[in-house]
Amino acid sequence: MESSDLYPITRLAAAREAAAVAGLDALLLTPGPDLRYVTGYEALPLERLTCLVLPVKGEAFLTVPRLELPAAEHSPASRLGVEFVPWEETDDPYAAVAARLGGVARVGLADRMWALQSLRFRDALPGTEQVLAGTVLRDLRMRKSPAEVAALREAGAAIDAVHAQVPGFLRAGRTEREVGRDIAEAIIEAGHSIVDFVIVASGPNGASPHHELSGRVIQPGEPVVVDIGGQMPSGYCSDSTRVYCIGEPPAAFAKYYDVLQRAQEAACDAVRPGVSCESVDAAARDVIAAEGYGEYFIHRTGHGIGLETHEEPYIVAGNAEPLAPGHAFSIEPGIYLPGAHGARIEDILICTEESGERVNHRPRELVVG
Ligand code: ZN
Ligand code: ZN
Ligand code: ZN
């Protein structure tokens, strides 16, 4: 996929416009998903300042350490027609940005800017109010373009290919860490550029939603929660969970797994434009609560996904935001019985004009191997 489709040069103007509407004077975007979204530039986050300065009035420029200049010039940011302003090791790039920007009342800082940098900007721009750039960029970033949807489908297919191999990695007698190592390798082989996380949670560890890997030896008859994801070269992320069992699962587990599968299905079925995030959460939660497992579903139903694994919109009680075509998010209810076992089923969905399109297609039944 061409970067011009995924990262169109019109983003610069769209971000400027959104900043103007929000009453900001400029956006200051350091390396991370906000900068990549606006420019396509996957810059290294370093203590040395790289920053796209996008004033509402006036010309945008990219402040960049001299040694990063060749990388910036070879990045998609070079298509934007913004001036690259290199700084030398002994310069103060914060003072230089402030001088060039002039007096500004309010600036939006990239959500993932380091405190190391935001506090330097506060000193260099005394009296300037700092807000999160995310408040301005969220609407743009939430609504995925057709090229972004294609990138998420590609990421979904890649992680599905990894799940297809998991039964071959999982055997009683192996440790979670050994299995996790094989999965991490497969994530890269399937086309990801980065392994974001590998959760292999066996037996009682399955009751901890974000358990990662341990030296625990997997036992026969144990359910194993496998939640994995990575970032593709496009920048877009994958994230999918399936539950496997080495031999027949405990009866108590089989009973609630069935409930969980119905809950996940109900939430996926609830997705369509105009429906609120919280009602999608409720669609899953109601099924689980009706069967008496409500207190064991201890997290929100899902999170948005794109250039970040967790981004807006969050599928959670209290979020009245209506879904719109192009929104991309996970549906991942879980049931966790402390000390015993747990389960979660997770797919990424795109809200289309009429419903939800899953990008993950592996079977959702318990995989008994
Ligand atoms: Zn999670
Ligand atoms: Zn996940
Ligand atoms: Zn997730």
Side-chain angles (χ1 to χ4, degrees), residues 121-189:
F121 273 126
R122 195 179 65 182
D123 291 343
L125 295 162
T128 299
E129 187 190 349
Q130 297 182 338
V131 301
L132 292 176
T135 58
V136 167
L137 298 177
R138 67 185 294 279
D139 287 328
L140 293 170
R141 282 187 52 189
M142 270 198 296
R143 281 220 187 210
K144 269 67 181 177
S145 68
E148 290 179 280
V149 169
L152 284 166
R153 281 195 200 110
E154 186 185 46
I159 210 67
D160 280 1
V162 179
H163 269 298
Q165 298 169 62
V166 167
F169 300 147
L170 271 175
R171 279 190 304 280
R174 298 193 83 196
T175 66
E176 293 174 354
R177 197 167 284 122
E178 285 166 340
V179 173
R181 222 174 274 142
D182 289 343
I183 291 175
E185 212 172 281
I187 288 175
I188 297 299
E189 275 168 18

Short mmCIF file of all heavy atoms in Angstrom, two decimals, residues 121-189:
data_model
loop_
_atom_site.label_atom_id
_atom_site.label_comp_id
_atom_site.label_asym_id
_atom_site.label_seq_id
_atom_site.Cartn_x
_atom_site.Cartn_y
_atom_site.Cartn_z
N PHE A 121 8.93 22.88 26.87
CA PHE A 121 8.08 23.82 26.11
C PHE A 121 7.37 24.79 27.05
O PHE A 121 7.17 25.95 26.71
CB PHE A 121 7.04 23.05 25.26
CG PHE A 121 7.55 22.64 23.91
CD1 PHE A 121 7.50 21.32 23.49
CD2 PHE A 121 8.10 23.59 23.03
CE1 PHE A 121 7.98 20.94 22.24
CE2 PHE A 121 8.57 23.22 21.78
CZ PHE A 121 8.51 21.90 21.38
N ARG A 122 6.97 24.30 28.22
CA ARG A 122 6.31 25.19 29.18
C ARG A 122 7.26 26.32 29.59
O ARG A 122 6.87 27.49 29.67
CB ARG A 122 5.87 24.41 30.41
CG ARG A 122 4.87 25.16 31.26
CD ARG A 122 4.43 24.35 32.45
NE ARG A 122 5.53 24.11 33.38
CZ ARG A 122 5.44 23.39 34.50
NH1 ARG A 122 4.28 22.84 34.82
NH2 ARG A 122 6.47 23.23 35.28
N ASP A 123 8.53 25.99 29.78
CA ASP A 123 9.52 27.01 30.16
C ASP A 123 9.81 27.96 28.99
O ASP A 123 9.99 29.16 29.19
CB ASP A 123 10.83 26.35 30.61
CG ASP A 123 10.67 25.62 31.94
OD1 ASP A 123 9.67 25.90 32.65
OD2 ASP A 123 11.52 24.78 32.26
N ALA A 124 9.84 27.39 27.77
CA ALA A 124 10.18 28.22 26.60
C ALA A 124 9.01 29.09 26.17
O ALA A 124 9.21 30.12 25.52
CB ALA A 124 10.62 27.32 25.44
N LEU A 125 7.80 28.68 26.54
CA LEU A 125 6.60 29.43 26.16
C LEU A 125 5.81 29.79 27.42
O LEU A 125 4.70 29.29 27.65
CB LEU A 125 5.72 28.60 25.22
CG LEU A 125 6.28 28.23 23.85
CD1 LEU A 125 5.51 27.06 23.23
CD2 LEU A 125 6.25 29.45 22.92
N PRO A 126 6.39 30.64 28.29
CA PRO A 126 5.71 30.93 29.55
C PRO A 126 4.38 31.64 29.27
O PRO A 126 4.29 32.47 28.38
CB PRO A 126 6.69 31.85 30.29
CG PRO A 126 7.59 32.41 29.25
CD PRO A 126 7.63 31.42 28.12
N GLY A 127 3.36 31.28 30.00
CA GLY A 127 2.05 31.91 29.80
C GLY A 127 1.23 31.26 28.70
O GLY A 127 0.07 31.61 28.52
N THR A 128 1.83 30.33 27.97
CA THR A 128 1.07 29.63 26.93
C THR A 128 0.39 28.42 27.55
O THR A 128 1.03 27.61 28.22
CB THR A 128 2.01 29.16 25.80
OG1 THR A 128 2.62 30.30 25.21
CG2 THR A 128 1.24 28.38 24.74
N GLU A 129 -0.93 28.32 27.31
CA GLU A 129 -1.67 27.18 27.85
C GLU A 129 -1.38 25.94 27.00
O GLU A 129 -1.38 26.01 25.77
CB GLU A 129 -3.17 27.49 27.83
CG GLU A 129 -4.02 26.43 28.50
CD GLU A 129 -5.52 26.62 28.26
OE1 GLU A 129 -5.91 27.69 27.76
OE2 GLU A 129 -6.26 25.69 28.57
N GLN A 130 -1.14 24.82 27.66
CA GLN A 130 -0.90 23.56 26.95
C GLN A 130 -2.11 22.66 27.08
O GLN A 130 -2.61 22.44 28.18
CB GLN A 130 0.32 22.84 27.53
CG GLN A 130 1.63 23.62 27.38
CD GLN A 130 2.83 22.84 27.94
OE1 GLN A 130 2.66 21.94 28.77
NE2 GLN A 130 4.02 23.18 27.48
N VAL A 131 -2.60 22.15 25.95
CA VAL A 131 -3.68 21.15 25.98
C VAL A 131 -3.23 19.95 25.16
O VAL A 131 -2.21 20.00 24.46
CB VAL A 131 -5.01 21.72 25.44
CG1 VAL A 131 -5.47 22.93 26.24
CG2 VAL A 131 -4.89 22.08 23.96
N LEU A 132 -3.99 18.88 25.23
CA LEU A 132 -3.64 17.68 24.45
C LEU A 132 -4.07 17.86 22.99
O LEU A 132 -5.20 18.23 22.71
CB LEU A 132 -4.32 16.44 25.02
CG LEU A 132 -3.83 15.97 26.39
CD1 LEU A 132 -4.67 14.78 26.88
CD2 LEU A 132 -2.35 15.56 26.32
N ALA A 133 -3.15 17.57 22.08
CA ALA A 133 -3.49 17.60 20.66
C ALA A 133 -4.58 16.59 20.34
O ALA A 133 -5.35 16.76 19.39
CB ALA A 133 -2.25 17.30 19.81
N GLY A 134 -4.67 15.55 21.15
CA GLY A 134 -5.68 14.51 20.93
C GLY A 134 -7.09 15.05 20.95
O GLY A 134 -7.97 14.53 20.25
N THR A 135 -7.32 16.12 21.72
CA THR A 135 -8.67 16.69 21.76
C THR A 135 -9.06 17.24 20.39
O THR A 135 -10.23 17.34 20.06
CB THR A 135 -8.76 17.83 22.81
OG1 THR A 135 -7.78 18.82 22.49
CG2 THR A 135 -8.49 17.32 24.21
N VAL A 136 -8.04 17.59 19.60
CA VAL A 136 -8.25 18.14 18.26
C VAL A 136 -8.20 17.03 17.20
O VAL A 136 -8.98 17.03 16.24
CB VAL A 136 -7.16 19.19 17.97
CG1 VAL A 136 -7.12 19.58 16.51
CG2 VAL A 136 -7.35 20.41 18.87
N LEU A 137 -7.29 16.09 17.38
CA LEU A 137 -7.06 15.07 16.34
C LEU A 137 -7.97 13.85 16.49
O LEU A 137 -8.06 13.04 15.57
CB LEU A 137 -5.59 14.61 16.38
CG LEU A 137 -4.55 15.70 16.08
CD1 LEU A 137 -3.14 15.13 16.24
CD2 LEU A 137 -4.74 16.26 14.67
N ARG A 138 -8.66 13.73 17.63
CA ARG A 138 -9.39 12.49 17.90
C ARG A 138 -10.45 12.18 16.82
O ARG A 138 -10.58 11.06 16.38
CB ARG A 138 -10.04 12.50 19.29
CG ARG A 138 -11.14 13.52 19.45
CD ARG A 138 -11.66 13.58 20.89
NE ARG A 138 -12.35 12.38 21.35
CZ ARG A 138 -13.61 12.09 21.08
NH1 ARG A 138 -14.34 12.89 20.33
NH2 ARG A 138 -14.16 10.99 21.56
N ASP A 139 -11.21 13.21 16.42
CA ASP A 139 -12.27 12.95 15.44
C ASP A 139 -11.69 12.50 14.11
O ASP A 139 -12.25 11.63 13.45
CB ASP A 139 -13.13 14.20 15.24
CG ASP A 139 -14.04 14.44 16.44
OD1 ASP A 139 -14.46 13.45 17.07
OD2 ASP A 139 -14.31 15.61 16.75
N LEU A 140 -10.56 13.10 13.73
CA LEU A 140 -9.90 12.69 12.49
C LEU A 140 -9.40 11.26 12.61
O LEU A 140 -9.63 10.42 11.75
CB LEU A 140 -8.73 13.62 12.17
CG LEU A 140 -9.08 15.07 11.83
CD1 LEU A 140 -7.81 15.93 11.79
CD2 LEU A 140 -9.80 15.14 10.49
N ARG A 141 -8.69 10.99 13.72
CA ARG A 141 -8.06 9.67 13.87
C ARG A 141 -9.08 8.55 14.07
O ARG A 141 -8.83 7.42 13.69
CB ARG A 141 -7.05 9.69 15.02
CG ARG A 141 -5.73 10.38 14.62
CD ARG A 141 -4.66 10.25 15.68
NE ARG A 141 -4.48 8.86 16.10
CZ ARG A 141 -3.73 8.48 17.12
NH1 ARG A 141 -3.09 9.40 17.84
NH2 ARG A 141 -3.60 7.22 17.42
N MET A 142 -10.23 8.87 14.66
CA MET A 142 -11.23 7.82 14.89
C MET A 142 -11.86 7.34 13.60
O MET A 142 -12.19 6.17 13.47
CB MET A 142 -12.34 8.35 15.81
CG MET A 142 -12.08 8.13 17.28
SD MET A 142 -13.59 8.27 18.26
CE MET A 142 -14.04 9.96 18.02
N ARG A 143 -12.09 8.25 12.68
CA ARG A 143 -12.78 7.88 11.43
C ARG A 143 -11.77 7.39 10.42
O ARG A 143 -11.14 8.18 9.71
CB ARG A 143 -13.49 9.11 10.86
CG ARG A 143 -14.78 9.42 11.53
CD ARG A 143 -15.77 9.84 10.47
NE ARG A 143 -16.98 10.33 11.07
CZ ARG A 143 -18.17 10.22 10.48
NH1 ARG A 143 -18.26 9.69 9.28
NH2 ARG A 143 -19.24 10.67 11.08
N LYS A 144 -11.65 6.08 10.31
CA LYS A 144 -10.64 5.50 9.43
C LYS A 144 -11.05 5.66 7.96
O LYS A 144 -12.21 5.42 7.60
CB LYS A 144 -10.44 4.02 9.75
CG LYS A 144 -9.34 3.74 10.78
CD LYS A 144 -9.64 4.24 12.15
CE LYS A 144 -8.50 3.95 13.13
NZ LYS A 144 -8.80 4.52 14.46
N SER A 145 -10.09 6.03 7.14
CA SER A 145 -10.30 6.14 5.69
C SER A 145 -10.33 4.73 5.10
O SER A 145 -9.92 3.77 5.75
CB SER A 145 -9.15 6.93 5.06
OG SER A 145 -7.95 6.16 5.16
N PRO A 146 -10.79 4.59 3.85
CA PRO A 146 -10.75 3.26 3.22
C PRO A 146 -9.35 2.64 3.25
O PRO A 146 -9.21 1.43 3.46
CB PRO A 146 -11.22 3.53 1.79
CG PRO A 146 -12.13 4.72 1.93
CD PRO A 146 -11.50 5.58 3.00
N ALA A 147 -8.31 3.44 3.08
CA ALA A 147 -6.94 2.90 3.11
C ALA A 147 -6.59 2.42 4.52
O ALA A 147 -5.92 1.39 4.69
CB ALA A 147 -5.94 3.95 2.65
N GLU A 148 -7.03 3.15 5.54
CA GLU A 148 -6.77 2.72 6.92
C GLU A 148 -7.54 1.44 7.24
O GLU A 148 -7.03 0.54 7.92
CB GLU A 148 -7.17 3.81 7.91
CG GLU A 148 -6.26 5.03 7.89
CD GLU A 148 -6.74 6.07 8.89
OE1 GLU A 148 -7.69 6.81 8.55
OE2 GLU A 148 -6.19 6.13 10.00
N VAL A 149 -8.79 1.35 6.76
CA VAL A 149 -9.58 0.14 6.97
C VAL A 149 -8.88 -1.05 6.31
O VAL A 149 -8.77 -2.14 6.90
CB VAL A 149 -11.02 0.31 6.42
CG1 VAL A 149 -11.76 -1.03 6.39
CG2 VAL A 149 -11.79 1.32 7.27
N ALA A 150 -8.35 -0.82 5.10
CA ALA A 150 -7.63 -1.90 4.41
C ALA A 150 -6.40 -2.31 5.23
O ALA A 150 -6.08 -3.50 5.34
CB ALA A 150 -7.22 -1.44 3.01
N ALA A 151 -5.73 -1.34 5.83
CA ALA A 151 -4.54 -1.65 6.64
C ALA A 151 -4.92 -2.45 7.89
O ALA A 151 -4.19 -3.34 8.32
CB ALA A 151 -3.82 -0.36 7.04
N LEU A 152 -6.08 -2.14 8.47
CA LEU A 152 -6.54 -2.89 9.64
C LEU A 152 -6.97 -4.31 9.26
O LEU A 152 -6.76 -5.26 10.01
CB LEU A 152 -7.70 -2.15 10.34
CG LEU A 152 -7.26 -0.94 11.16
CD1 LEU A 152 -8.47 -0.06 11.51
CD2 LEU A 152 -6.53 -1.36 12.44
N ARG A 153 -7.56 -4.45 8.08
CA ARG A 153 -7.91 -5.80 7.60
C ARG A 153 -6.65 -6.63 7.40
O ARG A 153 -6.60 -7.81 7.74
CB ARG A 153 -8.66 -5.72 6.27
CG ARG A 153 -10.11 -5.35 6.39
CD ARG A 153 -10.84 -5.66 5.07
NE ARG A 153 -12.07 -4.90 5.00
CZ ARG A 153 -12.29 -3.87 4.16
NH1 ARG A 153 -11.36 -3.51 3.29
NH2 ARG A 153 -13.43 -3.23 4.18
N GLU A 154 -5.63 -5.99 6.85
CA GLU A 154 -4.36 -6.68 6.61
C GLU A 154 -3.74 -7.11 7.95
O GLU A 154 -3.24 -8.24 8.09
CB GLU A 154 -3.42 -5.72 5.86
CG GLU A 154 -2.12 -6.31 5.41
CD GLU A 154 -1.20 -5.26 4.78
OE1 GLU A 154 -1.03 -4.16 5.36
OE2 GLU A 154 -0.66 -5.55 3.71
N ALA A 155 -3.80 -6.22 8.95
CA ALA A 155 -3.28 -6.56 10.28
C ALA A 155 -4.09 -7.70 10.89
O ALA A 155 -3.54 -8.62 11.51
CB ALA A 155 -3.33 -5.33 11.19
N GLY A 156 -5.42 -7.68 10.68
CA GLY A 156 -6.28 -8.73 11.20
C GLY A 156 -5.95 -10.08 10.59
O GLY A 156 -5.88 -11.10 11.29
N ALA A 157 -5.72 -10.09 9.28
CA ALA A 157 -5.38 -11.35 8.60
C ALA A 157 -4.05 -11.88 9.12
O ALA A 157 -3.87 -13.10 9.29
CB ALA A 157 -5.33 -11.13 7.09
N ALA A 158 -3.12 -10.97 9.40
CA ALA A 158 -1.79 -11.39 9.87
C ALA A 158 -1.89 -12.04 11.25
O ALA A 158 -1.28 -13.09 11.51
CB ALA A 158 -0.84 -10.20 9.90
N ILE A 159 -2.68 -11.44 12.15
CA ILE A 159 -2.75 -12.03 13.50
C ILE A 159 -3.60 -13.30 13.47
O ILE A 159 -3.35 -14.24 14.24
CB ILE A 159 -3.25 -11.00 14.55
CG1 ILE A 159 -2.66 -11.32 15.93
CG2 ILE A 159 -4.76 -10.91 14.64
CD1 ILE A 159 -1.18 -11.12 16.07
N ASP A 160 -4.58 -13.36 12.57
CA ASP A 160 -5.34 -14.63 12.40
C ASP A 160 -4.39 -15.76 11.99
O ASP A 160 -4.54 -16.90 12.45
CB ASP A 160 -6.42 -14.47 11.32
CG ASP A 160 -7.67 -13.76 11.83
OD1 ASP A 160 -7.70 -13.36 13.03
OD2 ASP A 160 -8.61 -13.58 11.04
N ALA A 161 -3.44 -15.44 11.13
CA ALA A 161 -2.49 -16.47 10.67
C ALA A 161 -1.64 -16.97 11.84
O ALA A 161 -1.24 -18.14 11.87
CB ALA A 161 -1.59 -15.90 9.57
N VAL A 162 -1.40 -16.10 12.81
CA VAL A 162 -0.65 -16.53 14.00
C VAL A 162 -1.52 -17.43 14.88
O VAL A 162 -1.08 -18.50 15.31
CB VAL A 162 -0.12 -15.32 14.79
CG1 VAL A 162 0.64 -15.79 16.04
CG2 VAL A 162 0.76 -14.44 13.92
N HIS A 163 -2.77 -17.00 15.11
CA HIS A 163 -3.67 -17.84 15.93
C HIS A 163 -3.83 -19.24 15.32
O HIS A 163 -3.95 -20.22 16.04
CB HIS A 163 -5.03 -17.17 16.10
CG HIS A 163 -5.12 -16.30 17.33
ND1 HIS A 163 -4.97 -16.81 18.60
CD2 HIS A 163 -5.32 -14.96 17.49
CE1 HIS A 163 -5.08 -15.83 19.49
NE2 HIS A 163 -5.29 -14.69 18.84
N ALA A 164 -3.81 -19.30 13.98
CA ALA A 164 -3.95 -20.61 13.33
C ALA A 164 -2.81 -21.55 13.71
O ALA A 164 -2.97 -22.76 13.70
CB ALA A 164 -4.01 -20.42 11.81
N GLN A 165 -1.66 -20.97 14.09
CA GLN A 165 -0.50 -21.80 14.44
C GLN A 165 -0.42 -22.13 15.93
O GLN A 165 0.38 -22.98 16.35
CB GLN A 165 0.79 -21.07 14.05
CG GLN A 165 0.92 -20.79 12.56
CD GLN A 165 2.09 -19.83 12.30
OE1 GLN A 165 3.23 -20.14 12.58
NE2 GLN A 165 1.78 -18.65 11.78
N VAL A 166 -1.23 -21.42 16.74
CA VAL A 166 -1.10 -21.56 18.20
C VAL A 166 -1.30 -23.00 18.69
O VAL A 166 -0.54 -23.48 19.54
CB VAL A 166 -2.01 -20.55 18.94
CG1 VAL A 166 -2.12 -20.88 20.43
CG2 VAL A 166 -1.47 -19.13 18.76
N PRO A 167 -2.31 -23.74 18.17
CA PRO A 167 -2.46 -25.12 18.66
C PRO A 167 -1.18 -25.95 18.51
O PRO A 167 -0.92 -26.84 19.32
CB PRO A 167 -3.59 -25.69 17.79
CG PRO A 167 -4.39 -24.48 17.40
CD PRO A 167 -3.37 -23.39 17.21
N GLY A 168 -0.37 -25.64 17.50
CA GLY A 168 0.88 -26.36 17.30
C GLY A 168 1.95 -25.98 18.33
O GLY A 168 2.89 -26.73 18.57
N PHE A 169 1.81 -24.79 18.93
CA PHE A 169 2.81 -24.33 19.91
C PHE A 169 2.44 -24.79 21.33
O PHE A 169 3.30 -24.94 22.19
CB PHE A 169 2.90 -22.80 19.93
CG PHE A 169 3.31 -22.18 18.62
CD1 PHE A 169 2.80 -20.92 18.24
CD2 PHE A 169 4.21 -22.80 17.76
CE1 PHE A 169 3.18 -20.32 17.04
CE2 PHE A 169 4.58 -22.20 16.57
CZ PHE A 169 4.07 -20.97 16.20
N LEU A 170 1.13 -24.93 21.57
CA LEU A 170 0.64 -25.21 22.93
C LEU A 170 0.68 -26.71 23.21
O LEU A 170 0.01 -27.49 22.53
CB LEU A 170 -0.81 -24.74 23.06
CG LEU A 170 -1.08 -23.31 23.49
CD1 LEU A 170 -2.58 -23.06 23.43
CD2 LEU A 170 -0.55 -23.01 24.87
N ARG A 171 1.45 -27.08 24.21
CA ARG A 171 1.46 -28.47 24.65
C ARG A 171 1.63 -28.49 26.17
O ARG A 171 2.35 -27.65 26.72
CB ARG A 171 2.65 -29.23 24.02
CG ARG A 171 2.42 -29.72 22.59
CD ARG A 171 3.54 -30.67 22.13
NE ARG A 171 4.85 -30.07 22.24
CZ ARG A 171 5.37 -29.21 21.34
NH1 ARG A 171 4.68 -28.86 20.28
NH2 ARG A 171 6.58 -28.72 21.52
N ALA A 172 0.94 -29.44 26.79
CA ALA A 172 1.15 -29.61 28.23
C ALA A 172 2.64 -29.89 28.45
O ALA A 172 3.27 -30.59 27.65
CB ALA A 172 0.30 -30.75 28.75
N GLY A 173 3.21 -29.32 29.51
CA GLY A 173 4.62 -29.52 29.80
C GLY A 173 5.50 -28.37 29.33
O GLY A 173 6.63 -28.24 29.79
N ARG A 174 5.01 -27.55 28.42
CA ARG A 174 5.77 -26.37 28.01
C ARG A 174 5.41 -25.21 28.93
O ARG A 174 4.31 -25.15 29.48
CB ARG A 174 5.43 -25.96 26.57
CG ARG A 174 5.76 -26.99 25.51
CD ARG A 174 5.69 -26.37 24.12
NE ARG A 174 6.94 -25.69 23.79
CZ ARG A 174 7.08 -24.81 22.78
NH1 ARG A 174 6.05 -24.48 22.04
NH2 ARG A 174 8.25 -24.25 22.54
N THR A 175 6.31 -24.24 29.06
CA THR A 175 5.99 -23.07 29.86
C THR A 175 5.31 -22.02 28.98
O THR A 175 5.44 -22.03 27.75
CB THR A 175 7.24 -22.43 30.48
OG1 THR A 175 8.06 -21.90 29.41
CG2 THR A 175 8.05 -23.43 31.29
N GLU A 176 4.59 -21.11 29.64
CA GLU A 176 3.97 -19.98 28.93
C GLU A 176 5.03 -19.22 28.14
O GLU A 176 4.79 -18.79 27.01
CB GLU A 176 3.32 -19.02 29.93
CG GLU A 176 2.12 -19.61 30.65
CD GLU A 176 1.58 -18.68 31.73
OE1 GLU A 176 2.22 -17.62 32.01
OE2 GLU A 176 0.55 -19.00 32.31
N ARG A 177 6.21 -19.09 28.73
CA ARG A 177 7.28 -18.31 28.09
C ARG A 177 7.77 -18.98 26.81
O ARG A 177 8.01 -18.31 25.80
CB ARG A 177 8.41 -18.06 29.08
CG ARG A 177 9.36 -16.94 28.66
CD ARG A 177 10.28 -16.49 29.78
NE ARG A 177 9.58 -15.65 30.75
CZ ARG A 177 9.48 -15.91 32.04
NH1 ARG A 177 10.02 -17.00 32.55
NH2 ARG A 177 8.84 -15.08 32.85
N GLU A 178 7.89 -20.30 26.86
CA GLU A 178 8.32 -21.04 25.66
C GLU A 178 7.31 -20.87 24.53
O GLU A 178 7.66 -20.62 23.38
CB GLU A 178 8.51 -22.53 25.99
CG GLU A 178 9.77 -22.81 26.78
CD GLU A 178 9.79 -24.21 27.40
OE1 GLU A 178 8.72 -24.85 27.55
OE2 GLU A 178 10.88 -24.66 27.76
N VAL A 179 6.03 -20.99 24.89
CA VAL A 179 4.97 -20.83 23.89
C VAL A 179 4.98 -19.38 23.37
O VAL A 179 4.86 -19.13 22.17
CB VAL A 179 3.60 -21.19 24.50
CG1 VAL A 179 2.47 -20.87 23.54
CG2 VAL A 179 3.57 -22.67 24.89
N GLY A 180 5.16 -18.44 24.29
CA GLY A 180 5.16 -17.02 23.93
C GLY A 180 6.27 -16.67 22.96
O GLY A 180 6.09 -15.84 22.06
N ARG A 181 7.41 -17.31 23.14
CA ARG A 181 8.55 -17.07 22.24
C ARG A 181 8.20 -17.51 20.81
O ARG A 181 8.49 -16.81 19.84
CB ARG A 181 9.77 -17.82 22.76
CG ARG A 181 11.06 -17.03 22.69
CD ARG A 181 12.20 -17.78 23.37
NE ARG A 181 12.26 -17.55 24.79
CZ ARG A 181 12.56 -18.46 25.72
NH1 ARG A 181 12.82 -19.71 25.37
NH2 ARG A 181 12.63 -18.14 26.99
N ASP A 182 7.59 -18.67 20.69
CA ASP A 182 7.18 -19.16 19.37
C ASP A 182 6.15 -18.22 18.74
O ASP A 182 6.19 -17.94 17.54
CB ASP A 182 6.55 -20.56 19.48
CG ASP A 182 7.59 -21.62 19.80
OD1 ASP A 182 8.79 -21.36 19.63
OD2 ASP A 182 7.19 -22.73 20.22
N ILE A 183 5.23 -17.74 19.58
CA ILE A 183 4.18 -16.85 19.06
C ILE A 183 4.80 -15.53 18.59
O ILE A 183 4.46 -15.02 17.52
CB ILE A 183 3.09 -16.60 20.13
CG1 ILE A 183 2.30 -17.89 20.38
CG2 ILE A 183 2.16 -15.47 19.71
CD1 ILE A 183 1.28 -17.78 21.52
N ALA A 184 5.73 -15.00 19.38
CA ALA A 184 6.37 -13.72 19.00
C ALA A 184 7.06 -13.85 17.65
O ALA A 184 6.96 -12.95 16.80
CB ALA A 184 7.36 -13.30 20.09
N GLU A 185 7.73 -14.97 17.46
CA GLU A 185 8.41 -15.21 16.18
C GLU A 185 7.39 -15.26 15.04
O GLU A 185 7.60 -14.68 13.97
CB GLU A 185 9.15 -16.54 16.27
CG GLU A 185 10.42 -16.63 15.47
CD GLU A 185 11.15 -17.92 15.82
OE1 GLU A 185 11.83 -17.98 16.88
OE2 GLU A 185 11.01 -18.88 15.04
N ALA A 186 6.28 -15.95 15.31
CA ALA A 186 5.23 -16.08 14.27
C ALA A 186 4.58 -14.74 13.95
O ALA A 186 4.17 -14.49 12.81
CB ALA A 186 4.18 -17.10 14.73
N ILE A 187 4.49 -13.87 14.95
CA ILE A 187 3.89 -12.54 14.72
C ILE A 187 4.73 -11.77 13.69
O ILE A 187 4.19 -11.15 12.77
CB ILE A 187 3.77 -11.76 16.06
CG1 ILE A 187 2.65 -12.37 16.93
CG2 ILE A 187 3.49 -10.28 15.81
CD1 ILE A 187 2.52 -11.75 18.32
N ILE A 188 6.04 -11.85 13.83
CA ILE A 188 6.93 -11.18 12.87
C ILE A 188 6.86 -11.88 11.51
O ILE A 188 6.73 -11.25 10.47
CB ILE A 188 8.38 -11.15 13.39
CG1 ILE A 188 8.48 -10.33 14.69
CG2 ILE A 188 9.34 -10.60 12.33
CD1 ILE A 188 8.07 -8.87 14.59
N GLU A 189 6.90 -13.22 11.52
CA GLU A 189 6.85 -13.96 10.25
C GLU A 189 5.55 -13.69 9.49
O GLU A 189 5.53 -13.75 8.26
CB GLU A 189 7.02 -15.47 10.49
CG GLU A 189 8.48 -15.87 10.57
CD GLU A 189 8.68 -17.28 11.10
OE1 GLU A 189 7.71 -18.06 11.09
OE2 GLU A 189 9.81 -17.57 11.53
#
